[in-house]
Amino acid sequence: MDNNKIRQDFPILRRTMGGCPLVYFDNGATTLKPQPVIDAVVNYYTYLGANAHRGDYEMSGQVDEAFEGARKRAQKYLNAADVSEIVFTSGSSMGLNEVAIMVTRQFLKEGDVVLSDESEHASSYLPWTQAGKDKGVNVEFIPLDEEGKITVENFKKALHDNVKVVAFAQVSNVLGFEAPVKEIVKICHERDILVVVDGAQSTPHLPIDVQDLDVDFFALSAHKMCGPTGIGVLYGKKKYLDVLEPVFYGGESNARYTKCDLVLKDSPLKFESGTQPIEAVLGMKAAMDYIDSIGKDKIHAYEVELKKYFLEKTKDMENLIVYNRNSESGIVTFNMMDNGKMIFSQDVASYLNTKGIAVRSGQHCAKLLPDILGAPGTIRASFYFYNTKEEIDYFVEQLKTVTMANCINIFF
């Protein structure tokens, strides 16, 4: 993997922040966009322009071909069995909300339980609490181990006869631990339990094969894998998508309707009411092409290498607390201390901003996890394949200057 060549594909890396060269370590929140993705979006606006599935003219037909070609590309990216199992959404949050609403309305009853865990992103956990509260469907938790990860043993302890859905992330967004998806799915399907997986943090880094995993639903966001914002994919097994009623209704999703009758189109179109973000769909395809041209195995190995390099460079820093040393990912979640006191995570992030370093701070949309970690918030540095060891050297150098006084002084 030619890292220097790859960096040339990302024009934003040539900008500065805080008067310093940009060091972007907030890839878990969103990734930067390479030129092929930018070009795909611009090409739609400058050459194609028409709506999808609406016109009977050449330019509209070209849009249709590109749009449905992107769906086939997403099918390949996830190794779905059928292209009809690929539904375009605005991102993981929308996909996971739709599944929670549809499944709760149509499949669940009072007293049923959805099993989740306390490391989940809000988009994986909250849809089930809100969809189920008026129907008497409750959410319970898989106990996390001492490191904050899901284990098969703890999952089995949480199972009981009322569990009808298990919803969790393949890779947790704060600690970066990979859940044992295949093992959990096998156990669930032996008990006729549906499995819904949040793939927002896994699809940019790991090879995904939904048939091999055997998950029932899987959601991803393009913006976390070098694609545009506002677009994602909900994968669902055909047998479920064919019977589920959509959440939204409007143009494109219906085959015909009268004042007293509605006939929906087959999936996936019945779930795609209204005009989709066509330019983003095409940009997502370009992102999938780009990532696969590098290779996810190479990407993941390089991210882990960067994390290990960071941990080695900081092993003697007594004022650095790392919460996820053992997760096999490019995520480092930590806090900084000064004279035995924890420095407010957002103050540390603001100080690093003055050095040109972008990190995430706070609770990272996982607001149950602070109780598990014993910290009100954390700092997250998430590495990706365009980051370098030289950037980590600079990062470590700046972390060594972090003190309570330095962090406070930037505000005065």
Side-chain angles (χ1 to χ4, degrees):
M1 190 170 73
D2 188 341
N3 183 261
N4 289 327
K5 183 177 182 297
I6 285 170
R7 287 177 64 84
Q8 295 304 310
D9 291 335
F10 291 83
I12 200 169
L13 290 175
R14 296 191 279 275
R15 68 158 285 173
T16 61
M17 188 175 75
C20 303
L22 173 65
V23 176
Y24 188 78
F25 288 157
D26 196 20
N27 297 290
T30 196
T31 51
L32 306 180
K33 318 309 175 193
Q35 194 64 51
V37 170
I38 298 169
D39 291 344
V41 172
V42 172
N43 182 67
Y44 169 76
Y45 284 125
T46 56
Y47 179 72
L48 293 171
N51 211 329
H53 304 150
R54 300 293 199 278
D56 298 308
Y57 49 91
E58 179 183 337
M59 194 163 71
S60 179
Q62 290 169 339
V63 173
D64 292 351
E65 183 178 3
F67 188 80
E68 291 305 324
R71 196 187 305 277
K72 292 177 182 176
R73 184 65 181 89
Q75 176 194 3
K76 180 181 177 182
Y77 194 76
L78 297 177
N79 193 35
D82 194 285
V83 72
S84 67
E85 296 177 323
I86 301 297
V87 178
F88 291 136
T89 68
S90 68
S92 300
S93 295
M94 178 179 173
L96 294 170
N97 271 275
E98 285 187 283
V99 170
I101 293 168
M102 293 187 297
V103 167
T104 301
R105 283 178 180 173
Q106 296 173 234
F107 292 167
L108 303 185
K109 64 182 187 305
E110 184 176 358
D112 286 343
V113 168
V114 176
L115 203 54
S116 187
D117 68 275
E118 291 171 285
S119 70
E120 289 304 307
H121 190 284
S123 296
S124 177
Y125 165 67
L126 288 180
W128 296 101
T129 67
Q130 299 309 295
K133 64 181 181 180
D134 292 334
K135 202 168 183 180
V137 175
N138 297 316
V139 177
E140 296 179 1
F141 299 108
I142 305 164
L144 301 172
D145 73 359
E146 64 279 359
E147 290 187 299
K149 64 176 182 286
I150 298 172
T151 65
V152 173
E153 181 181 4
N154 282 347
F155 170 69
K156 289 179 178 178
K157 290 177 182 177
L159 268 181
H160 55 80
D161 290 342
N162 289 340
V163 174
K164 303 301 178 185
V165 177
V166 177
F168 62 100
Q170 185 174 15
V171 173
S172 59
N173 74 302
V174 180
L175 299 177
F177 287 113
E178 184 178 354
V181 177
K182 286 186 67 173
E183 295 90 333
I184 288 174
V185 169
K186 185 176 185 299
I187 295 167
C188 287
H189 287 172
E190 289 171 351
R191 304 171 67 126
D192 294 324
I193 297 171
L194 289 175
V195 181
V196 181
V197 173
D198 175 2
Q201 294 292 341
S202 59
T203 44
H205 314 279
L206 303 175
I208 306 297
D209 185 334
V210 291
Q211 292 187 75
D212 182 57
L213 294 173
D214 200 24
V215 294
D216 299 305
F217 299 94
F218 187 96
L220 66 88
S221 293
H223 75 93
K224 294 183 186 290
M225 42 179 273
C226 297
T229 56
I231 186 64
V233 169
L234 171 64
Y235 159 81
K237 285 182 176 176
K238 191 175 187 302
K239 65 179 180 180
Y240 295 122
L241 293 183
D242 283 350
V243 299
L244 285 169
E245 292 286 322
V247 175
F248 305 107
Y249 295 86
E252 182 61 17
S253 63
N254 70 87
R256 61 184 182 277
Y257 64 92
T258 66
K259 291 181 179 179
C260 56
D261 185 44
L262 167 64
V263 178
L264 292 170
K265 291 182 178 179
D266 293 336
S267 49
L269 295 182
K270 71 176 180 179
F271 300 106
E272 294 177 2
S273 285
T275 295
Q276 300 300 301
I278 301 166
E279 80 293 343
V281 169
L282 304 185
M284 178 171 64
K285 175 188 180 298
M288 291 175 174
D289 290 341
Y290 186 84
I291 287 174
D292 279 350
S293 74
I294 298 170
K296 284 193 184 180
D297 289 336
K298 291 180 181 179
I299 290 172
H300 181 62
Y302 182 68
E303 292 166 346
V304 173
E305 181 183 342
L306 289 180
K307 178 178 179 177
K308 289 179 178 177
Y309 184 76
F310 172 84
L311 294 176
E312 177 63 26
K313 296 284 287 188
T314 57
K315 65 182 180 182
D316 296 325
M317 288 182 60
E318 295 181 358
N319 62 331
L320 175 73
I321 302 173
V322 178
Y323 297 94
N324 63 334
R325 290 182 179 274
N326 296 322
S327 67
E328 288 289 310
S329 70
I331 295 175
V332 179
T333 304
F334 63 97
N335 269 313
M336 301 295 295
M337 307 293 290
D338 188 356
N339 291 320
K341 295 183 178 179
M342 187 176 293
I343 307 174
F344 185 48
S345 63
Q346 286 158 296
D347 288 348
V348 176
S350 296
Y351 174 75
L352 292 172
N353 166 70
T354 67
K355 310 299 181 181
I357 301 169
V359 294
R360 179 79 184 271
S361 62
Q363 297 178 341
H364 318 292
C365 299
K367 297 186 177 181
L368 301 180
L369 191 58
D371 291 338
I372 304 296
L373 298 180
T378 55
I379 304 140
R380 183 185 68 186
S382 43
F383 309 133
Y384 208 23
F385 58 87
Y386 42 67
N387 292 128
T388 67
K389 290 182 179 178
E390 289 77 15
E391 287 180 320
I392 290 177
D393 289 338
Y394 176 71
F395 183 36
V396 173
E397 179 185 331
Q398 300 310 316
L399 284 178
K400 290 179 179 178
T401 69
V402 172
T403 64
M404 193 85 71
N406 283 347
C407 290
I408 292 174
N409 285 341
I410 66 170
F411 298 107
F412 300 97

